[in-house]
Amino acid sequence: MPDKSTSTHTLTAKTRLILSGRRAGWAVDVIALAFVLAGCAIDFFTDPDYTPLPFFILPVIYAAWSSPHPATGWICIALTTASNFTLAYIQSSGATNAPYYDALTRILTLVVVYWIALRLRAVTRELQSAKSRLERLNHEKNLLFGVISHDVRGALGVMLASSRLLKRPAAQMTQDRIEVIADQTQTAAQNSLTLLEDLLEWSRLQIGGSTLDAEPVSVSGVINASIAAAINSAEEKKIRLAAREVPPSLIALANERAIRVVLRNIIGNALKFTGEGGEVCVGAWPANGQVIISVEDSGTGIAGDKLQELLSSSAPSSTQGVRGETGTGFGLSMCKDIVAGFGGHITAQSVVGEGSRFLISLPRGQSAAPGAE
């Protein structure tokens, strides 16, 4: 037999559910109309001096606040109008119009109450929407700072290392070596500038409330650009970073800047957890109307529970890399948000001690080349 306190708790929960309107719209409408009809019945069968105004006002407020159908409130008011003027006709002796004035006062009161309740509902929803937008903007701001910390720091590290080499005594530096360092510094600076342009464009779209429009994107071009941006970091860590052959005709529907940000983050994470002498490979292929981009490394791998947490949670999570690198933890969360915006998703496979494989799935576009696969 159910416990009395449990039954009371269940009844209270159901009552709250009804009053809050978080149930089927028809149920809210039926409850409101039932109260109005009860008020009309009281009007007809009780002393005419008794005014059951709460039976009219409360259902109208409830319908205005909870019903998904604006017509429900007006139906309640129409029923009340018909009832009140019918009673006014019955009660009127012809010598006075007081019953009609009384009925008109009731109806005008209901209309004003209903209008005020509708306005309060609209203002409340606007405040809730504004709160959601502020929370989203704060989230996007954190993601932006996370990406800057994650990506720009690597390029600045390369330039800092180059400047240290240039400060060595002239006897230890040949002209060829100086030219190599200058080339590396220039490449790192160019990659940093491209990255900042991508991030600023992405942040402008996100913070401005715009959506990223999907457009045909060359997958091989995005992969090559992302590898070029990370190659100096890979060489510094003595990791082989390479791209598998990708058909030039392979097209994804996405935003090029946004996908470059995603790939740089995932490649950066692969380098972070791959030791010296390891390998990171990037590839792509078509599958079932989708484009699958793969980033595979021979690093430390991720435990099953940790991997599941990373893929299912939207909260930031950061782990030290094999060289003690730290991060903000926003990178993967941001990547999932971006890819989801194009109707794609990110999955991963990993074995501890053997490496990880992250798969980015995006809608496939049509190649301009005739007969392209």
Side-chain angles (χ1 to χ4, degrees):
M1 183 175 181
D3 183 85
K4 184 177 180 180
S5 62
T6 303
S7 300
T8 304
H9 178 73
T10 303
L11 181 61
T12 303
K14 289 181 178 179
T15 303
R16 287 176 180 171
L17 188 64
I18 292 173
L19 293 177
S20 67
R22 290 194 299 269
R23 55 168 39 238
W26 64 266
V28 175
D29 299 339
V30 168
I31 293 169
L33 292 171
F35 266 84
V36 169
L37 291 173
C40 294
I42 292 173
D43 253 349
F44 274 102
F45 297 109
T46 61
D47 189 329
D49 291 333
Y50 175 71
T51 303
L53 202 56
F55 281 86
F56 301 133
I57 290 181
L58 293 180
V60 164
I61 294 175
Y62 180 50
W65 194 264
S66 302
S67 175
H69 311 116
T72 301
W74 294 114
I75 292 173
C76 291
I77 293 173
L79 288 173
T80 306
T81 302
S83 171
N84 277 259
F85 277 102
T86 300
L87 280 173
Y89 176 77
I90 294 172
Q91 295 169 8
S92 175
S93 61
T96 177
N97 291 323
Y100 290 105
Y101 292 140
D102 181 60
L104 183 61
T105 301
R106 287 190 187 189
I107 302 309
L108 290 177
T109 301
L110 280 181
V111 171
V112 170
V113 168
Y114 186 56
W115 180 81
I116 291 174
L118 286 175
R119 290 301 305 150
L120 286 174
R121 180 183 184 182
V123 169
T124 300
R125 290 189 170 182
E126 287 174 4
L127 289 174
Q128 290 173 341
S129 177
K131 178 176 178 288
S132 298
R133 286 197 300 270
L134 287 174
E135 290 175 346
R136 180 183 61 81
L137 289 175
N138 186 59
H139 178 63
E140 301 297 349
K141 176 206 68 175
N142 290 334
L143 293 180
L144 179 61
F145 286 144
V147 176
I148 291 174
S149 173
H150 188 278
D151 285 357
V152 176
R153 184 170 53 187
L156 292 176
V158 172
M159 288 187 280
L160 180 60
S162 298
S163 65
R164 286 172 178 167
L165 289 174
L166 291 174
K167 288 183 66 176
R168 289 182 178 180
Q172 299 180 14
M173 299 291 293
T174 64
Q175 184 62 31
D176 290 341
R177 180 59 176 161
I178 291 174
E179 289 179 0
V180 169
I181 293 174
D183 289 341
Q184 291 176 344
T185 303
Q186 182 181 5
T187 301
Q190 182 60 52
N191 290 337
S192 297
L193 179 60
T194 302
L195 171 61
L196 285 175
E197 290 174 348
D198 290 350
L199 290 177
L200 290 173
E201 176 67 13
W202 176 77
S203 64
R204 183 185 67 80
L205 291 169
Q206 295 295 90
I207 294 175
S210 305
T211 56
L212 293 170
D213 294 327
E215 56 189 15
V217 174
S218 169
V219 177
S220 61
V222 170
I223 289 176
N224 291 335
S226 301
I227 287 180
I231 194 67
N232 285 336
S233 178
E235 290 176 352
E236 181 187 358
K237 297 176 180 180
K238 298 181 180 176
I239 298 171
R240 181 177 179 270
L241 175 59
R244 294 190 176 95
E245 186 174 352
V246 177
S249 60
L250 188 58
I251 303 295
L253 291 177
N255 177 277
E256 186 172 350
R257 289 184 183 273
I259 297 305
R260 284 210 300 257
V261 171
V262 170
L263 267 179
R264 273 199 289 263
N265 269 272
I266 295 181
I267 291 172
N269 280 332
L271 295 174
K272 177 180 175 181
F273 293 102
T274 301
E276 185 176 320
E279 184 177 26
V280 174
C281 289
V282 185
W285 60 88
N288 300 321
Q290 300 282 304
V291 171
I292 310 298
I293 302 176
S294 167
V295 179
E296 189 173 354
D297 66 69
S298 59
T300 58
I302 308 170
D305 55 345
K306 179 66 175 177
L307 182 62
Q308 185 62 30
E309 179 185 343
L310 284 173
L311 294 175
S312 61
S313 173
S314 60
S317 176
S318 181
T319 305
Q320 281 196 346
V322 294
R323 301 164 193 82
E325 305 102 313
T326 59
T328 62
F330 287 103
L332 185 58
S333 175
M334 182 206 64
C335 291
K336 290 189 293 184
D337 286 348
I338 292 176
V339 172
F342 301 118
H345 58 274
I346 296 177
T347 58
Q349 305 155 356
S350 187
V351 177
V352 175
E354 296 184 13
S356 303
R357 187 189 196 198
F358 280 79
L359 301 173
I360 305 165
S361 176
L362 293 166
R364 186 181 179 188
Q366 295 295 322
S367 172
E373 179 62 30

